[in-house]
PDB file of all heavy atoms in Angstrom:
ATOM      1  N   ILE A   1     146.187 132.132  49.138  1.00  0.00           N
ATOM      2  CA  ILE A   1     145.830 133.535  48.965  1.00  0.00           C
ATOM      3  C   ILE A   1     146.187 134.326  50.219  1.00  0.00           C
ATOM      4  O   ILE A   1     146.772 135.394  50.165  1.00  0.00           O
ATOM      5  CB  ILE A   1     144.335 133.705  48.589  1.00  0.00           C
ATOM      6  CG1 ILE A   1     144.076 133.043  47.247  1.00  0.00           C
ATOM      7  CG2 ILE A   1     143.963 135.178  48.569  1.00  0.00           C
ATOM      8  CD1 ILE A   1     142.576 132.935  46.936  1.00  0.00           C
ATOM      9  N   GLU A   2     145.800 133.784  51.381  1.00  0.00           N
ATOM     10  CA  GLU A   2     146.127 134.461  52.628  1.00  0.00           C
ATOM     11  C   GLU A   2     147.629 134.518  52.868  1.00  0.00           C
ATOM     12  O   GLU A   2     148.154 135.508  53.346  1.00  0.00           O
ATOM     13  CB  GLU A   2     145.439 133.748  53.819  1.00  0.00           C
ATOM     14  CG  GLU A   2     145.622 134.498  55.130  1.00  0.00           C
ATOM     15  CD  GLU A   2     144.925 133.844  56.316  1.00  0.00           C
ATOM     16  OE1 GLU A   2     144.248 132.838  56.126  1.00  0.00           O
ATOM     17  OE2 GLU A   2     145.064 134.379  57.422  1.00  0.00           O
ATOM     18  N   PHE A   3     148.340 133.463  52.488  1.00  0.00           N
ATOM     19  CA  PHE A   3     149.794 133.414  52.616  1.00  0.00           C
ATOM     20  C   PHE A   3     150.436 134.578  51.862  1.00  0.00           C
ATOM     21  O   PHE A   3     151.261 135.322  52.385  1.00  0.00           O
ATOM     22  CB  PHE A   3     150.333 132.077  52.099  1.00  0.00           C
ATOM     23  CG  PHE A   3     151.856 132.008  52.043  1.00  0.00           C
ATOM     24  CD1 PHE A   3     152.586 131.848  53.200  1.00  0.00           C
ATOM     25  CD2 PHE A   3     152.499 132.088  50.823  1.00  0.00           C
ATOM     26  CE1 PHE A   3     153.972 131.807  53.145  1.00  0.00           C
ATOM     27  CE2 PHE A   3     153.886 132.044  50.766  1.00  0.00           C
ATOM     28  CZ  PHE A   3     154.606 131.905  51.942  1.00  0.00           C
ATOM     29  N   TYR A   4     150.014 134.769  50.597  1.00  0.00           N
ATOM     30  CA  TYR A   4     150.572 135.858  49.806  1.00  0.00           C
ATOM     31  C   TYR A   4     150.117 137.229  50.301  1.00  0.00           C
ATOM     32  O   TYR A   4     150.823 138.201  50.192  1.00  0.00           O
ATOM     33  CB  TYR A   4     150.237 135.666  48.324  1.00  0.00           C
ATOM     34  CG  TYR A   4     151.019 134.539  47.689  1.00  0.00           C
ATOM     35  CD1 TYR A   4     150.421 133.391  47.284  1.00  0.00           C
ATOM     36  CD2 TYR A   4     152.401 134.638  47.537  1.00  0.00           C
ATOM     37  CE1 TYR A   4     151.137 132.326  46.728  1.00  0.00           C
ATOM     38  CE2 TYR A   4     153.135 133.589  47.001  1.00  0.00           C
ATOM     39  CZ  TYR A   4     152.509 132.449  46.587  1.00  0.00           C
ATOM     40  OH  TYR A   4     153.226 131.400  46.066  1.00  0.00           O
ATOM     41  N   SER A   5     148.921 137.287  50.893  1.00  0.00           N
ATOM     42  CA  SER A   5     148.447 138.532  51.472  1.00  0.00           C
ATOM     43  C   SER A   5     149.346 138.949  52.628  1.00  0.00           C
ATOM     44  O   SER A   5     149.693 140.113  52.767  1.00  0.00           O
ATOM     45  CB  SER A   5     147.017 138.376  51.980  1.00  0.00           C
ATOM     46  OG  SER A   5     146.099 138.095  50.929  1.00  0.00           O
ATOM     47  N   VAL A   6     149.734 137.991  53.469  1.00  0.00           N
ATOM     48  CA  VAL A   6     150.633 138.264  54.577  1.00  0.00           C
ATOM     49  C   VAL A   6     151.973 138.741  54.054  1.00  0.00           C
ATOM     50  O   VAL A   6     152.557 139.695  54.619  1.00  0.00           O
ATOM     51  CB  VAL A   6     150.754 137.035  55.489  1.00  0.00           C
ATOM     52  CG1 VAL A   6     151.856 137.267  56.511  1.00  0.00           C
ATOM     53  CG2 VAL A   6     149.427 136.734  56.174  1.00  0.00           C
ATOM     54  N   LEU A   7     152.475 138.090  53.008  1.00  0.00           N
ATOM     55  CA  LEU A   7     153.749 138.531  52.413  1.00  0.00           C
ATOM     56  C   LEU A   7     153.650 139.981  51.939  1.00  0.00           C
ATOM     57  O   LEU A   7     154.596 140.764  52.096  1.00  0.00           O
ATOM     58  CB  LEU A   7     154.124 137.621  51.229  1.00  0.00           C
ATOM     59  CG  LEU A   7     154.596 136.199  51.566  1.00  0.00           C
ATOM     60  CD1 LEU A   7     155.032 135.467  50.303  1.00  0.00           C
ATOM     61  CD2 LEU A   7     155.738 136.230  52.590  1.00  0.00           C
ATOM     62  N   ARG A   8     152.507 140.354  51.329  1.00  0.00           N
ATOM     63  CA  ARG A   8     152.319 141.731  50.898  1.00  0.00           C
ATOM     64  C   ARG A   8     152.357 142.692  52.090  1.00  0.00           C
ATOM     65  O   ARG A   8     152.876 143.775  52.008  1.00  0.00           O
ATOM     66  CB  ARG A   8     150.968 141.876  50.164  1.00  0.00           C
ATOM     67  CG  ARG A   8     150.842 141.078  48.876  1.00  0.00           C
ATOM     68  CD  ARG A   8     151.662 141.666  47.748  1.00  0.00           C
ATOM     69  NE  ARG A   8     151.258 141.161  46.476  1.00  0.00           N
ATOM     70  CZ  ARG A   8     151.658 139.970  45.965  1.00  0.00           C
ATOM     71  NH1 ARG A   8     152.506 139.242  46.647  1.00  0.00           N
ATOM     72  NH2 ARG A   8     151.266 139.583  44.788  1.00  0.00           N
ATOM     73  N   SER A   9     151.770 142.269  53.208  1.00  0.00           N
ATOM     74  CA  SER A   9     151.773 143.101  54.397  1.00  0.00           C
ATOM     75  C   SER A   9     153.173 143.320  54.913  1.00  0.00           C
ATOM     76  O   SER A   9     153.555 144.413  55.314  1.00  0.00           O
ATOM     77  CB  SER A   9     150.888 142.462  55.490  1.00  0.00           C
ATOM     78  OG  SER A   9     149.543 142.420  55.103  1.00  0.00           O
ATOM     79  N   LEU A  10     153.958 142.257  54.927  1.00  0.00           N
ATOM     80  CA  LEU A  10     155.325 142.366  55.383  1.00  0.00           C
ATOM     81  C   LEU A  10     156.155 143.238  54.420  1.00  0.00           C
ATOM     82  O   LEU A  10     157.042 143.982  54.861  1.00  0.00           O
ATOM     83  CB  LEU A  10     155.968 140.990  55.512  1.00  0.00           C
ATOM     84  CG  LEU A  10     155.327 140.102  56.616  1.00  0.00           C
ATOM     85  CD1 LEU A  10     155.955 138.719  56.600  1.00  0.00           C
ATOM     86  CD2 LEU A  10     155.469 140.736  57.984  1.00  0.00           C
ATOM     87  N   ARG A  11     155.845 143.167  53.144  1.00  0.00           N
ATOM     88  CA  ARG A  11     156.522 144.075  52.190  1.00  0.00           C
ATOM     89  C   ARG A  11     156.105 145.516  52.406  1.00  0.00           C
ATOM     90  O   ARG A  11     156.902 146.434  52.252  1.00  0.00           O
ATOM     91  CB  ARG A  11     156.255 143.630  50.755  1.00  0.00           C
ATOM     92  CG  ARG A  11     157.181 144.347  49.740  1.00  0.00           C
ATOM     93  CD  ARG A  11     157.103 143.724  48.398  1.00  0.00           C
ATOM     94  NE  ARG A  11     155.813 143.933  47.767  1.00  0.00           N
ATOM     95  CZ  ARG A  11     155.439 143.446  46.586  1.00  0.00           C
ATOM     96  NH1 ARG A  11     156.240 142.663  45.947  1.00  0.00           N
ATOM     97  NH2 ARG A  11     154.252 143.708  46.099  1.00  0.00           N
ATOM     98  N   ALA A  12     154.824 145.721  52.756  1.00  0.00           N
ATOM     99  CA  ALA A  12     154.356 147.074  53.076  1.00  0.00           C
ATOM    100  C   ALA A  12     155.121 147.626  54.267  1.00  0.00           C
ATOM    101  O   ALA A  12     155.451 148.809  54.314  1.00  0.00           O
ATOM    102  CB  ALA A  12     152.857 147.065  53.367  1.00  0.00           C
ATOM    103  N   LEU A  13     155.384 146.774  55.247  1.00  0.00           N
ATOM    104  CA  LEU A  13     156.214 147.187  56.386  1.00  0.00           C
ATOM    105  C   LEU A  13     157.560 147.650  55.925  1.00  0.00           C
ATOM    106  O   LEU A  13     158.100 148.678  56.345  1.00  0.00           O
ATOM    107  CB  LEU A  13     156.308 146.057  57.411  1.00  0.00           C
ATOM    108  CG  LEU A  13     157.000 146.368  58.738  1.00  0.00           C
ATOM    109  CD1 LEU A  13     156.468 145.453  59.826  1.00  0.00           C
ATOM    110  CD2 LEU A  13     158.513 146.183  58.674  1.00  0.00           C
ATOM    111  N   GLU A  14     158.170 146.875  55.035  1.00  0.00           N
ATOM    112  CA  GLU A  14     159.498 147.168  54.535  1.00  0.00           C
ATOM    113  C   GLU A  14     159.562 148.517  53.808  1.00  0.00           C
ATOM    114  O   GLU A  14     160.514 149.265  53.951  1.00  0.00           O
ATOM    115  CB  GLU A  14     159.993 146.073  53.593  1.00  0.00           C
ATOM    116  CG  GLU A  14     160.315 144.760  54.305  1.00  0.00           C
ATOM    117  CD  GLU A  14     160.670 143.643  53.336  1.00  0.00           C
ATOM    118  OE1 GLU A  14     160.722 143.926  52.098  1.00  0.00           O
ATOM    119  OE2 GLU A  14     160.900 142.512  53.780  1.00  0.00           O
ATOM    120  N   GLU A  15     158.554 148.845  53.026  1.00  0.00           N
ATOM    121  CA  GLU A  15     158.556 150.080  52.240  1.00  0.00           C
ATOM    122  C   GLU A  15     158.096 151.293  53.020  1.00  0.00           C
ATOM    123  O   GLU A  15     158.227 152.435  52.575  1.00  0.00           O
ATOM    124  CB  GLU A  15     157.712 149.944  50.970  1.00  0.00           C
ATOM    125  CG  GLU A  15     156.213 149.902  51.212  1.00  0.00           C
ATOM    126  CD  GLU A  15     155.397 150.064  49.932  1.00  0.00           C
ATOM    127  OE1 GLU A  15     155.541 151.080  49.247  1.00  0.00           O
ATOM    128  OE2 GLU A  15     154.603 149.134  49.633  1.00  0.00           O
ATOM    129  N   SER A  16     157.550 151.099  54.222  1.00  0.00           N
ATOM    130  CA  SER A  16     157.002 152.194  54.999  1.00  0.00           C
ATOM    131  C   SER A  16     158.086 152.922  55.764  1.00  0.00           C
ATOM    132  O   SER A  16     159.198 152.419  55.990  1.00  0.00           O
ATOM    133  CB  SER A  16     155.953 151.668  56.010  1.00  0.00           C
ATOM    134  OG  SER A  16     156.571 150.849  56.979  1.00  0.00           O
ATOM    135  N   ASP A  17     157.781 154.166  56.173  1.00  0.00           N
ATOM    136  CA  ASP A  17     158.659 154.928  57.057  1.00  0.00           C
ATOM    137  C   ASP A  17     158.223 154.768  58.502  1.00  0.00           C
ATOM    138  O   ASP A  17     159.055 154.706  59.415  1.00  0.00           O
ATOM    139  CB  ASP A  17     158.607 156.411  56.661  1.00  0.00           C
ATOM    140  CG  ASP A  17     159.063 156.646  55.244  1.00  0.00           C
ATOM    141  OD1 ASP A  17     160.252 156.425  54.970  1.00  0.00           O
ATOM    142  OD2 ASP A  17     158.231 157.025  54.357  1.00  0.00           O
ATOM    143  N   VAL A  18     156.909 154.733  58.735  1.00  0.00           N
ATOM    144  CA  VAL A  18     156.314 154.591  60.060  1.00  0.00           C
ATOM    145  C   VAL A  18     155.227 153.537  59.994  1.00  0.00           C
ATOM    146  O   VAL A  18     154.518 153.414  58.988  1.00  0.00           O
ATOM    147  CB  VAL A  18     155.723 155.925  60.551  1.00  0.00           C
ATOM    148  CG1 VAL A  18     155.042 155.740  61.918  1.00  0.00           C
ATOM    149  CG2 VAL A  18     156.768 157.005  60.606  1.00  0.00           C
ATOM    150  N   VAL A  19     155.102 152.723  61.052  1.00  0.00           N
ATOM    151  CA  VAL A  19     154.008 151.747  61.140  1.00  0.00           C
ATOM    152  C   VAL A  19     153.115 152.068  62.314  1.00  0.00           C
ATOM    153  O   VAL A  19     153.611 152.439  63.398  1.00  0.00           O
ATOM    154  CB  VAL A  19     154.540 150.275  61.235  1.00  0.00           C
ATOM    155  CG1 VAL A  19     155.321 149.909  60.002  1.00  0.00           C
ATOM    156  CG2 VAL A  19     155.404 150.085  62.465  1.00  0.00           C
ATOM    157  N   ILE A  20     151.833 151.956  62.090  1.00  0.00           N
ATOM    158  CA  ILE A  20     150.850 152.038  63.175  1.00  0.00           C
ATOM    159  C   ILE A  20     150.397 150.626  63.452  1.00  0.00           C
ATOM    160  O   ILE A  20     149.791 149.966  62.599  1.00  0.00           O
ATOM    161  CB  ILE A  20     149.644 152.922  62.785  1.00  0.00           C
ATOM    162  CG1 ILE A  20     150.101 154.379  62.566  1.00  0.00           C
ATOM    163  CG2 ILE A  20     148.571 152.889  63.885  1.00  0.00           C
ATOM    164  CD1 ILE A  20     149.004 155.276  62.001  1.00  0.00           C
ATOM    165  N   ILE A  21     150.730 150.119  64.612  1.00  0.00           N
ATOM    166  CA  ILE A  21     150.344 148.755  65.016  1.00  0.00           C
ATOM    167  C   ILE A  21     148.996 148.867  65.738  1.00  0.00           C
ATOM    168  O   ILE A  21     148.907 149.495  66.800  1.00  0.00           O
ATOM    169  CB  ILE A  21     151.382 148.090  65.921  1.00  0.00           C
ATOM    170  CG1 ILE A  21     152.797 148.156  65.299  1.00  0.00           C
ATOM    171  CG2 ILE A  21     150.968 146.649  66.225  1.00  0.00           C
ATOM    172  CD1 ILE A  21     152.975 147.338  64.068  1.00  0.00           C
ATOM    173  N   VAL A  22     147.967 148.281  65.154  1.00  0.00           N
ATOM    174  CA  VAL A  22     146.620 148.333  65.739  1.00  0.00           C
ATOM    175  C   VAL A  22     146.390 147.099  66.603  1.00  0.00           C
ATOM    176  O   VAL A  22     146.567 145.960  66.138  1.00  0.00           O
ATOM    177  CB  VAL A  22     145.543 148.429  64.649  1.00  0.00           C
ATOM    178  CG1 VAL A  22     144.157 148.584  65.308  1.00  0.00           C
ATOM    179  CG2 VAL A  22     145.802 149.645  63.727  1.00  0.00           C
ATOM    180  N   ILE A  23     146.007 147.325  67.847  1.00  0.00           N
ATOM    181  CA  ILE A  23     145.740 146.256  68.804  1.00  0.00           C
ATOM    182  C   ILE A  23     144.307 146.348  69.283  1.00  0.00           C
ATOM    183  O   ILE A  23     143.794 147.430  69.542  1.00  0.00           O
ATOM    184  CB  ILE A  23     146.736 146.361  69.997  1.00  0.00           C
ATOM    185  CG1 ILE A  23     148.146 146.030  69.513  1.00  0.00           C
ATOM    186  CG2 ILE A  23     146.333 145.404  71.124  1.00  0.00           C
ATOM    187  CD1 ILE A  23     149.213 146.305  70.526  1.00  0.00           C
ATOM    188  N   ASP A  24     143.669 145.185  69.379  1.00  0.00           N
ATOM    189  CA  ASP A  24     142.292 145.129  69.854  1.00  0.00           C
ATOM    190  C   ASP A  24     142.288 145.235  71.392  1.00  0.00           C
ATOM    191  O   ASP A  24     142.887 144.375  72.082  1.00  0.00           O
ATOM    192  CB  ASP A  24     141.633 143.806  69.420  1.00  0.00           C
ATOM    193  CG  ASP A  24     140.147 143.749  69.712  1.00  0.00           C
ATOM    194  OD1 ASP A  24     139.723 144.229  70.764  1.00  0.00           O
ATOM    195  OD2 ASP A  24     139.395 143.202  68.861  1.00  0.00           O
ATOM    196  N   ALA A  25     141.669 146.273  71.930  1.00  0.00           N
ATOM    197  CA  ALA A  25     141.691 146.496  73.371  1.00  0.00           C
ATOM    198  C   ALA A  25     141.072 145.350  74.144  1.00  0.00           C
ATOM    199  O   ALA A  25     141.471 145.047  75.284  1.00  0.00           O
ATOM    200  CB  ALA A  25     140.984 147.811  73.707  1.00  0.00           C
ATOM    201  N   GLN A  26     140.112 144.664  73.566  1.00  0.00           N
ATOM    202  CA  GLN A  26     139.422 143.571  74.241  1.00  0.00           C
ATOM    203  C   GLN A  26     140.270 142.310  74.299  1.00  0.00           C
ATOM    204  O   GLN A  26     140.147 141.503  75.228  1.00  0.00           O
ATOM    205  CB  GLN A  26     138.072 143.288  73.557  1.00  0.00           C
ATOM    206  CG  GLN A  26     137.057 144.416  73.712  1.00  0.00           C
ATOM    207  CD  GLN A  26     135.733 144.081  73.055  1.00  0.00           C
ATOM    208  OE1 GLN A  26     135.638 143.851  71.844  1.00  0.00           O
ATOM    209  NE2 GLN A  26     134.679 144.007  73.846  1.00  0.00           N
ATOM    210  N   GLN A  27     141.144 142.153  73.319  1.00  0.00           N
ATOM    211  CA  GLN A  27     142.002 140.961  73.264  1.00  0.00           C
ATOM    212  C   GLN A  27     143.351 141.215  73.894  1.00  0.00           C
ATOM    213  O   GLN A  27     144.022 140.266  74.320  1.00  0.00           O
ATOM    214  CB  GLN A  27     142.174 140.503  71.801  1.00  0.00           C
ATOM    215  CG  GLN A  27     140.869 140.100  71.120  1.00  0.00           C
ATOM    216  CD  GLN A  27     141.048 139.740  69.664  1.00  0.00           C
ATOM    217  OE1 GLN A  27     142.186 139.617  69.181  1.00  0.00           O
ATOM    218  NE2 GLN A  27     139.968 139.573  68.934  1.00  0.00           N
ATOM    219  N   GLY A  28     143.764 142.476  73.946  1.00  0.00           N
ATOM    220  CA  GLY A  28     145.059 142.805  74.494  1.00  0.00           C
ATOM    221  C   GLY A  28     146.187 142.473  73.528  1.00  0.00           C
ATOM    222  O   GLY A  28     145.967 142.015  72.398  1.00  0.00           O
ATOM    223  N   MET A  29     147.381 142.691  73.982  1.00  0.00           N
ATOM    224  CA  MET A  29     148.578 142.422  73.157  1.00  0.00           C
ATOM    225  C   MET A  29     148.881 140.942  73.177  1.00  0.00           C
ATOM    226  O   MET A  29     148.993 140.325  74.233  1.00  0.00           O
ATOM    227  CB  MET A  29     149.768 143.240  73.657  1.00  0.00           C
ATOM    228  CG  MET A  29     151.050 142.999  72.853  1.00  0.00           C
ATOM    229  SD  MET A  29     152.402 144.079  73.356  1.00  0.00           S
ATOM    230  CE  MET A  29     151.903 145.610  72.561  1.00  0.00           C
ATOM    231  N   GLU A  30     149.025 140.364  71.986  1.00  0.00           N
ATOM    232  CA  GLU A  30     149.357 138.947  71.861  1.00  0.00           C
ATOM    233  C   GLU A  30     150.770 138.786  71.296  1.00  0.00           C
ATOM    234  O   GLU A  30     151.384 139.771  70.876  1.00  0.00           O
ATOM    235  CB  GLU A  30     148.319 138.242  70.984  1.00  0.00           C
ATOM    236  CG  GLU A  30     146.914 138.262  71.568  1.00  0.00           C
ATOM    237  CD  GLU A  30     145.926 137.429  70.780  1.00  0.00           C
ATOM    238  OE1 GLU A  30     146.335 136.797  69.781  1.00  0.00           O
ATOM    239  OE2 GLU A  30     144.745 137.405  71.173  1.00  0.00           O
ATOM    240  N   SER A  31     151.249 137.563  71.278  1.00  0.00           N
ATOM    241  CA  SER A  31     152.651 137.319  70.873  1.00  0.00           C
ATOM    242  C   SER A  31     152.902 137.762  69.439  1.00  0.00           C
ATOM    243  O   SER A  31     153.969 138.246  69.096  1.00  0.00           O
ATOM    244  CB  SER A  31     152.959 135.840  70.998  1.00  0.00           C
ATOM    245  OG  SER A  31     152.074 135.025  70.225  1.00  0.00           O
ATOM    246  N   GLN A  32     151.852 137.681  68.572  1.00  0.00           N
ATOM    247  CA  GLN A  32     152.009 138.095  67.182  1.00  0.00           C
ATOM    248  C   GLN A  32     152.211 139.611  67.095  1.00  0.00           C
ATOM    249  O   GLN A  32     152.959 140.106  66.244  1.00  0.00           O
ATOM    250  CB  GLN A  32     150.798 137.691  66.348  1.00  0.00           C
ATOM    251  CG  GLN A  32     151.001 137.776  64.846  1.00  0.00           C
ATOM    252  CD  GLN A  32     152.056 136.832  64.325  1.00  0.00           C
ATOM    253  OE1 GLN A  32     152.552 135.958  65.040  1.00  0.00           O
ATOM    254  NE2 GLN A  32     152.442 137.021  63.081  1.00  0.00           N
ATOM    255  N   ASP A  33     151.575 140.358  67.972  1.00  0.00           N
ATOM    256  CA  ASP A  33     151.788 141.800  68.019  1.00  0.00           C
ATOM    257  C   ASP A  33     153.213 142.147  68.443  1.00  0.00           C
ATOM    258  O   ASP A  33     153.866 143.009  67.860  1.00  0.00           O
ATOM    259  CB  ASP A  33     150.804 142.468  69.039  1.00  0.00           C
ATOM    260  CG  ASP A  33     149.354 142.242  68.667  1.00  0.00           C
ATOM    261  OD1 ASP A  33     148.998 142.450  67.466  1.00  0.00           O
ATOM    262  OD2 ASP A  33     148.563 141.863  69.571  1.00  0.00           O
ATOM    263  N   VAL A  34     153.702 141.414  69.448  1.00  0.00           N
ATOM    264  CA  VAL A  34     155.073 141.626  69.918  1.00  0.00           C
ATOM    265  C   VAL A  34     156.076 141.308  68.805  1.00  0.00           C
ATOM    266  O   VAL A  34     157.043 142.079  68.579  1.00  0.00           O
ATOM    267  CB  VAL A  34     155.367 140.764  71.155  1.00  0.00           C
ATOM    268  CG1 VAL A  34     156.822 140.920  71.607  1.00  0.00           C
ATOM    269  CG2 VAL A  34     154.419 141.127  72.301  1.00  0.00           C
ATOM    270  N   ASN A  35     155.854 140.207  68.086  1.00  0.00           N
ATOM    271  CA  ASN A  35     156.725 139.832  66.968  1.00  0.00           C
ATOM    272  C   ASN A  35     156.751 140.906  65.869  1.00  0.00           C
ATOM    273  O   ASN A  35     157.788 141.232  65.308  1.00  0.00           O
ATOM    274  CB  ASN A  35     156.285 138.524  66.360  1.00  0.00           C
ATOM    275  CG  ASN A  35     156.484 137.343  67.320  1.00  0.00           C
ATOM    276  OD1 ASN A  35     157.299 137.409  68.243  1.00  0.00           O
ATOM    277  ND2 ASN A  35     155.734 136.257  67.114  1.00  0.00           N
ATOM    278  N   LEU A  36     155.567 141.472  65.611  1.00  0.00           N
ATOM    279  CA  LEU A  36     155.456 142.479  64.571  1.00  0.00           C
ATOM    280  C   LEU A  36     156.179 143.753  64.965  1.00  0.00           C
ATOM    281  O   LEU A  36     156.881 144.351  64.154  1.00  0.00           O
ATOM    282  CB  LEU A  36     153.958 142.771  64.307  1.00  0.00           C
ATOM    283  CG  LEU A  36     153.554 143.495  63.038  1.00  0.00           C
ATOM    284  CD1 LEU A  36     154.064 142.746  61.812  1.00  0.00           C
ATOM    285  CD2 LEU A  36     152.046 143.600  62.959  1.00  0.00           C
ATOM    286  N   ILE A  37     156.014 144.144  66.215  1.00  0.00           N
ATOM    287  CA  ILE A  37     156.724 145.343  66.704  1.00  0.00           C
ATOM    288  C   ILE A  37     158.240 145.126  66.703  1.00  0.00           C
ATOM    289  O   ILE A  37     159.019 146.016  66.317  1.00  0.00           O
ATOM    290  CB  ILE A  37     156.212 145.707  68.120  1.00  0.00           C
ATOM    291  CG1 ILE A  37     154.754 146.202  68.038  1.00  0.00           C
ATOM    292  CG2 ILE A  37     157.091 146.772  68.768  1.00  0.00           C
ATOM    293  CD1 ILE A  37     154.050 146.284  69.379  1.00  0.00           C
ATOM    294  N   SER A  38     158.672 143.963  67.098  1.00  0.00           N
ATOM    295  CA  SER A  38     160.091 143.637  67.089  1.00  0.00           C
ATOM    296  C   SER A  38     160.670 143.672  65.686  1.00  0.00           C
ATOM    297  O   SER A  38     161.769 144.150  65.463  1.00  0.00           O
ATOM    298  CB  SER A  38     160.337 142.267  67.731  1.00  0.00           C
ATOM    299  OG  SER A  38     159.910 142.223  69.082  1.00  0.00           O
ATOM    300  N   LEU A  39     159.891 143.153  64.744  1.00  0.00           N
ATOM    301  CA  LEU A  39     160.320 143.175  63.355  1.00  0.00           C
ATOM    302  C   LEU A  39     160.457 144.616  62.838  1.00  0.00           C
ATOM    303  O   LEU A  39     161.415 144.968  62.155  1.00  0.00           O
ATOM    304  CB  LEU A  39     159.324 142.402  62.474  1.00  0.00           C
ATOM    305  CG  LEU A  39     159.616 142.346  60.972  1.00  0.00           C
ATOM    306  CD1 LEU A  39     160.950 141.630  60.711  1.00  0.00           C
ATOM    307  CD2 LEU A  39     158.478 141.588  60.253  1.00  0.00           C
ATOM    308  N   ALA A  40     159.448 145.439  63.180  1.00  0.00           N
ATOM    309  CA  ALA A  40     159.485 146.866  62.769  1.00  0.00           C
ATOM    310  C   ALA A  40     160.708 147.571  63.363  1.00  0.00           C
ATOM    311  O   ALA A  40     161.375 148.375  62.707  1.00  0.00           O
ATOM    312  CB  ALA A  40     158.201 147.573  63.205  1.00  0.00           C
ATOM    313  N   GLU A  41     161.009 147.236  64.624  1.00  0.00           N
ATOM    314  CA  GLU A  41     162.175 147.868  65.260  1.00  0.00           C
ATOM    315  C   GLU A  41     163.473 147.445  64.587  1.00  0.00           C
ATOM    316  O   GLU A  41     164.338 148.265  64.325  1.00  0.00           O
ATOM    317  CB  GLU A  41     162.223 147.524  66.752  1.00  0.00           C
ATOM    318  CG  GLU A  41     163.251 148.349  67.481  1.00  0.00           C
ATOM    319  CD  GLU A  41     163.917 147.728  68.639  1.00  0.00           C
ATOM    320  OE1 GLU A  41     163.993 146.487  68.665  1.00  0.00           O
ATOM    321  OE2 GLU A  41     164.391 148.446  69.540  1.00  0.00           O
TER     322      GLU A  41
END
């Protein structure tokens, strides 16, 4: 279920015009955030 949820999220990225990447200030930027931003770019 989580696997398909992630696929839906990536498809949402594909259909979007702009993405807002939300980062937790307490955790900081992690490698998954960087990967997501790179994918969006």
Side-chain angles (χ1 to χ4, degrees):
I1 296 170
E2 186 178 358
F3 173 75
Y4 288 111
S5 297
V6 171
L7 289 184
R8 297 287 196 277
S9 295
L10 294 176
R11 191 168 69 183
L13 186 152
E14 290 175 2
E15 71 168 302
S16 67
D17 300 293
V18 178
V19 297
I20 297 172
I21 308 293
V22 183
I23 292 172
D24 189 321
Q26 293 181 299
Q27 298 177 10
M29 179 174 283
E30 297 187 1
S31 59
Q32 194 65 10
D33 300 313
V34 176
N35 293 337
L36 197 55
I37 291 167
S38 299
L39 180 62
E41 191 211 28

